[in-house]
Amino acid sequence: MRKLVLFLTIMFMTMSYGQETKQIPQINVNGEGKVKVAPDQVCISATVETKGNNAKDVKKQNDEKMDAVLKFIKKMNLPTADFKTKQVALNPQYDYEKKKTSYNATQTVEIVLKDLSKYDELMEGLVQQGINRIDRVSFESSKLTSLQSEARKLAMKDAKAKAEDYVSVLGQKVGKAYIISDNSQIYHPQPMYAAMKSMAADNAGAENETLAIGEIEITANVSVSFILD
């Protein structure tokens, strides 16, 4: 039995060596593509927060303030699709020292403003109507999908150019892509600030700067393995 096992083992090893995979000459490189664009819209997350000792009164006050905020937004002639209630909450808060329960009501509205010249007017009006917490102001591009596609193409071109630089001194040529890996991170707008004057300042001939929208940088990263000819 041992002789049979030994014979089969030797036979398997012989077959494995005979079927050894041929190595494919290739080069592995990383590529990066960047696209910069001025944002054409801003996303604002704003909250009305109300506190008090009576849950019913706190909620009523919060509702009244949010009602005024929504009416103001409608007067700004924003399309209904560009603003929505994001979160509504009414939470008890117990004070262990005073042994009393108070209440905290919040309502958050998310607004997409596509006319940046109205930014100052919108922000001032929101605060006047009862918004007491600005959670987020994010400058964005409405053409994000096409810009990401452009960045990916630039990343592939960068990878191929690097590969050609490396092999040019070896007398070889870059062939077909063998493996492509997308290493891009989740997109987060990163403004590179540059000043933008307000419309009111322009009309008055003043040099006051109230908004710095800058540029958004969209980046794509790839790893590519090219076959060498």
Side-chain angles (χ1 to χ4, degrees), residues 1-226:
M1 185 66 180
R2 288 185 178 179
K3 289 183 179 180
L4 178 59
V5 173
L6 180 60
F7 173 75
L8 291 174
T9 303
I10 294 172
M11 186 177 177
F12 176 76
M13 292 174 63
T14 304
M15 290 175 63
S16 297
Y17 282 118
Q19 296 175 357
E20 189 172 319
T21 305
K22 184 180 178 180
Q23 293 295 320
I24 301 174
Q26 57 184 279
I27 180 172
N28 304 318
V29 291
N30 295 322
E32 183 177 71
K34 291 184 179 181
V35 178
K36 296 178 183 179
V37 64
D40 58 4
Q41 63 184 34
V42 58
C43 183
I44 302 166
S45 181
T47 299
V48 174
E49 184 174 16
T50 311
K51 297 180 180 181
N53 296 324
N54 184 283
K56 185 177 180 179
D57 291 342
V58 168
K59 184 181 183 304
K60 183 180 178 181
Q61 293 172 19
N62 197 265
D63 288 344
E64 289 174 349
K65 290 181 180 179
M66 182 52 71
D67 179 62
V69 168
L70 293 176
K71 286 178 178 176
F72 165 72
I73 294 173
K74 290 176 182 178
K75 286 183 180 179
M76 290 283 295
N77 294 319
L78 269 66
T80 54
D82 290 348
F83 62 94
K84 61 184 178 181
T85 299
K86 194 71 175 177
Q87 184 178 354
V88 178
L90 176 62
N91 299 313
Q93 296 179 330
Y94 186 73
D95 189 326
Y96 287 94
E97 291 184 1
K98 297 181 180 180
K99 295 183 179 181
K100 290 178 61 178
T101 299
S102 61
Y103 296 88
N104 184 47
T106 59
Q107 291 190 62
T108 301
V109 60
E110 189 172 84
I111 308 161
V112 177
L113 180 65
K114 296 177 180 177
D115 184 353
L116 294 180
S117 67
K118 294 182 178 180
Y119 175 81
D120 285 336
E121 181 184 356
L122 177 64
M123 294 295 279
E124 289 172 7
L126 290 175
V127 174
Q128 289 174 0
Q129 297 303 322
I131 291 292
N132 49 15
R133 204 176 80 200
I134 301 295
D135 300 316
R136 180 171 65 93
V137 176
S138 175
F139 292 98
E140 303 170 352
S141 173
S142 60
K143 301 175 182 177
L144 178 59
T145 301
S146 61
L147 294 170
Q148 288 175 324
S149 177
E150 184 180 348
R152 286 191 287 266
K153 291 175 182 177
L154 291 173
M156 288 299 297
K157 289 180 179 179
D158 181 49
K160 187 175 182 181
K162 286 179 180 178
E164 289 173 343
D165 284 342
Y166 284 123
V167 303
S168 61
V169 297
L170 303 175
Q172 292 177 290
K173 293 182 179 180
V174 175
K176 295 181 179 180
Y178 185 63
I179 299 174
I180 301 173
S181 299
D182 185 359
N183 301 325
S184 302
Q185 301 296 315
I186 296 174
Y187 170 74
H188 294 287
Q190 297 294 332
M192 300 174 62
Y193 291 104
M196 179 183 118
K197 299 176 183 177
S198 69
M199 297 294 289
D202 285 340
N203 294 334
E207 294 298 324
N208 294 331
E209 297 176 349
T210 60
L211 184 63
I213 60 169
E215 291 182 325
I216 294 172
E217 185 175 276
I218 299 162
T219 305
N221 292 280
V222 295
S223 296
V224 187
S225 297
F226 291 101

